[in-house]
Amino acid sequence: MSESAEPRVVEFAIGGMTCAACSTRLEKVLNRQPGMQANVNLAAERARIRLSGAADEAAVIAAVGKAGFRAELVDAGTREREKAEKQRAYKQEIVRFWIAVALSLPLAGQMLFMFGEHGHSNELPRWLQLVLATPVQFWIGWRFYDGAYKALRGGGANMDVLVALGTSMAWGFSTVVTLFGLPQHVYFEGGAVVITLVLLGKLLEVRAKARTSEAIEALIRLQPKTARVERDGQWLEMPVDALMPGDVFLVRPGESVPVDGEVIDGESSLDEAMLTGESMPVSKRAGDRVFAATANGQGALRCRAVGVGEHTLLAGIIRMVGEAQGSKAPVQRLADKISGIFVPAVCAVAFVTFFGWWFYAGDFAEALVNAVAVLVIACPCALGLATPTAIMVGTGQGARAGILVKNAEALERAERIGVLALDKTGTLTQGRPVVTDIVVRGIERDQALAWAGALEHNSEHPLARAVIEAAAAVHLPKTVNFKATPGCGVEGEIDARPLRLGAPAWIGCAEDAQVAALQQTGKTVIVLAEGETVLALFGIADALRPTSRQAVERLRSQGIRVVMLTGDNAQTAAAIAAEAGVDEFRAGILPGDKAAAIAELKRDGVLVAMVGDGINDAPALAAADVSFAIGAGSDAAIEAADLTLIRNDLLGVVDAIDLSRATLRKIRQNLFSAFIYNTLGIPLAALGWLSPMVAGAAMAMSSVSVVSNSLLLKRWRPNAKR
């Protein structure tokens, strides 16, 4: 099988879309192509397409072109090229708009004098009106004819069809009246002013839409262009793109970290606010991780590159934010369905309005004006922009606060969370347990530490790391016949002695009085034994995160039921739950059983979310309706999660839910205003209560108001900063 048969997701920049009908039609066209599954975003002007079978990028570009649009494969330079092209086009549109204003103003101005004492005697000569209106209609307004032709050629209809049809009717009728000297009023001002107002609306819309992507643009600007790299004992200034994993680089005071790395030597504090949303600097020393674009403080750091290019945390954030901004929330499906049939339905309403008024009033001109007003006011732009603009701003604000949203659907579901399941270790707690108590029986303390450390030497479990850190000062003997039992413990032979280290229940001493005493203080106990003989007890505590109790209180105040899941015994779990303010917990849950616990919680019919940080949390995260991964957790957990919290703080979950509610609130406001606008506007125009000029102004401002309302999400701040 060829490489092209492997399913893959590609992203294209789309040009030529003007309204929701365009994006809906293009999505349908692409989804009809074999091997293509497309999602088209009007606000982002992007199409994310899953290709399979023989489908390739060339086939996508051809299909998009046939539908009347332009497609360009997104690469590293696409964003800069797009930005330059949009700025050039914007400047051209500004010039064209002011020319349209200059030509339309005399036509609109005469309307004011027509209400005066001399009425129609103040009207401009009709030949002059024709001269002024024609360039606006066919030069300034050519974009609408071009867009309408491409849409109709592709088998659909869009906003351009409505504007071109409506203004052409007004201009054509007025031209016939002027050329043949008929005793009728002319409506040159109607078509010219409508085109001018629509252009104004488009300019304001483009300007406002540009602000919706400011967050991702700000992230891109953060990464330095050059780095000081060590080569043969000398420091050379090199482009960041030239760095490879393993290269040693220097970060001087006040500079930004060029790529992800690990500190080799030096001490300093880094401002990681752009990643975590936290303003407090984070101290760094040998062995600590540093991330691209974070700002160094007063000290110098010598680091080894770990992640470069597309493999830095910053690149991952930019990629995830871009994917989320290009995704489609379920709430938009209704808007898409309506947009797909909207333009043909409006044309039908305009047709009925025209003939209805002609037969009712017997006035062809009045019937024409009312039909034009229906066509002009019915543009579905606001409907198409309602959801994606809010998603773009919301996910951008989330990224600034250290909340990465995988897709819009997850953001929508987060609003309806009824139950939140929490992993204990690394989520409620610091995730760095330490040995606090060692109780030995018949052996020396150092001997107990040496044997326990040797048994745990190859384990990555947090409790194992605590034992290894406690045994750092003693010599570790060799272990043979090592075996690990998930959720229970480890065993092996040391100096020909069969030793086990694990949970008291596994060892067989769960009823031991000293074990119970340690557990009652909220400590996890692991037991070192030879056969059935207990040699030592290790009491291990994992301190609660400072903000965990506050986060739990906030979640409960929002009506969310909080459940803690832990592999600890019931006594230890109860102590931690009480300290965190959690009323409900499931204790003694093995890693493989967490997904089953999520399934059990879902049986109540409520939306269940899961927060975790480890590899063993990945199945439970995948099973939950909404999943959150703590950023310091494993790649598997982050991959399985819907939302990733860069900072290690449970308050991030509260902020993510709050962001979801704020974003969905804006989406509903936008959809309501868009639906109400068209629901009220079309009947008013059909009844003859709106002139084409008023309809054009209202249509232009409806799109601007939707985008502006979405931009109000920029006021959103994390709870911790309010």
Side-chain angles (χ1 to χ4, degrees), residues 75 122 157 159 173 230 255 367 400 441 470 479 486 607 637 680 704:
D75 57 28
N122 292 315
M159 178 204 77
F173 172 78
E230 189 176 32
E255 292 183 339
R400 288 179 173 180
R441 296 180 182 178
T479 304
L607 193 141
L680 295 179
V704 176

Side-chain angles (χ1 to χ4, degrees), residues 230 235 243-251 257 259-265 287-290 301-308:
E230 189 176 32
W235 294 103
L243 265 69
M244 300 291 289
D247 282 346
V248 176
F249 61 89
L250 180 69
V251 186
V257 180
V259 295
D260 290 3
E262 182 178 310
V263 178
I264 300 173
D265 55 58
D288 290 338
R289 289 289 301 272
V290 294
L301 295 173
R302 185 165 165 265
C303 310
R304 179 178 291 105
V306 175
V308 301

Side-chain angles (χ1 to χ4, degrees), residues 45-109:
E45 297 181 332
R46 287 285 193 272
R48 290 185 60 79
I49 305 170
R50 181 180 176 84
L51 299 177
S52 59
D56 58 11
E57 289 81 354
V60 173
I61 293 173
V64 172
K66 190 175 180 181
F69 306 99
R70 302 182 304 278
E72 179 188 5
L73 188 64
V74 173
D75 57 28
T78 299
R79 190 174 294 277
E80 288 302 318
R81 289 197 302 272
E82 271 188 324
K83 192 173 181 180
E85 174 61 25
K86 285 181 179 179
Q87 287 178 342
R88 185 190 63 79
Y90 184 73
K91 289 178 181 178
Q92 286 184 346
E93 288 299 313
I94 288 285
V95 173
R96 291 161 68 90
F97 167 72
W98 285 114
I99 293 173
V101 169
L103 294 172
S104 302
L105 205 55
L107 296 171

Side-chain angles (χ1 to χ4, degrees), residues 697-710:
M699 183 271 284
M701 295 313 298
S702 66
S703 297
V704 176
S705 65
V706 162
V707 179
S708 300
N709 188 49
S710 295

